[in-house]
Amino acid sequence: MSIEKRTQHELDDETLFVVSQTFKALSDPTRIRILNMLCCEEHSVNDIAETLDLNQSAVSHQLRFLKNLRLVKFRREGTTLYYSSDDDHIINLLHQAIDHAKH
C-alpha cells in the first residue's frame, strides 16, 4: 500500500474521539429529533419540549450534549435561549441517514 493511501486511513486519537462522539450524538432518538427540528430554524427550549412532548430538563440535557460537540449553537434573548444547528455537515449526514432509512 502506498504511503498516500495509508495516510488517508490513519486516524489520530482526537479525530477518532470526535467521530465516535458525533455518531454517539446521532445514535440517540431524542437527539435525532432535536437536530431534525433545528436543521431549518431556531427554537427555544420550550418550543422543542412542547413540539417533541418532552420535559424541559430532558431537552436542556440533550442540548447541552449537542452544544458541547458544537452541533448546535444558541443565542439569548432576555431570559430565553434560542437554539439552532451549528454544523451543516452533521445535518447533511443526518438527512442522508433518514433518506437511507426510508428506502
Side-chain angles (χ1 to χ4, degrees):
M1 177 184 302
S2 73
I3 293 174
E4 293 163 349
K5 286 188 177 194
R6 193 174 70 235
T7 303
Q8 288 177 344
H9 295 287
E10 290 179 6
L11 299 172
D12 59 75
D13 289 343
E14 182 179 349
T15 301
L16 283 170
F17 178 75
V18 171
V19 170
S20 69
Q21 291 295 30
T22 300
F23 279 103
K24 180 178 178 181
L26 294 175
S27 70
D28 180 85
T30 299
R31 289 191 289 263
I32 291 170
R33 293 171 68 207
I34 291 170
L35 284 170
N36 192 53
M37 188 172 171
L38 296 177
C39 73
C40 300
E41 61 183 322
E42 67 180 15
H43 292 277
S44 70
V45 175
N46 285 341
D47 291 342
I48 297 167
E50 287 178 21
T51 301
L52 301 181
D53 195 28
L54 300 167
N55 66 52
Q56 280 186 305
S57 176
V59 170
S60 293
H61 173 76
Q62 299 298 346
L63 286 168
R64 191 168 30 258
F65 182 88
L66 295 169
K67 184 173 71 73
N68 288 339
L69 290 173
R70 296 181 300 192
L71 302 181
V72 298
K73 60 186 175 185
F74 71 91
R75 71 173 179 85
R76 183 182 301 272
E77 189 172 297
T79 59
T80 304
L81 297 178
Y82 291 91
Y83 284 85
S84 59
S85 169
D86 195 27
D87 191 328
D88 289 340
H89 296 105
I90 298 305
I91 296 303
N92 289 336
L93 182 60
L94 175 63
H95 286 158
Q96 287 179 0
I98 291 169
D99 290 345
H100 177 75
K102 289 182 175 182
H103 279 97

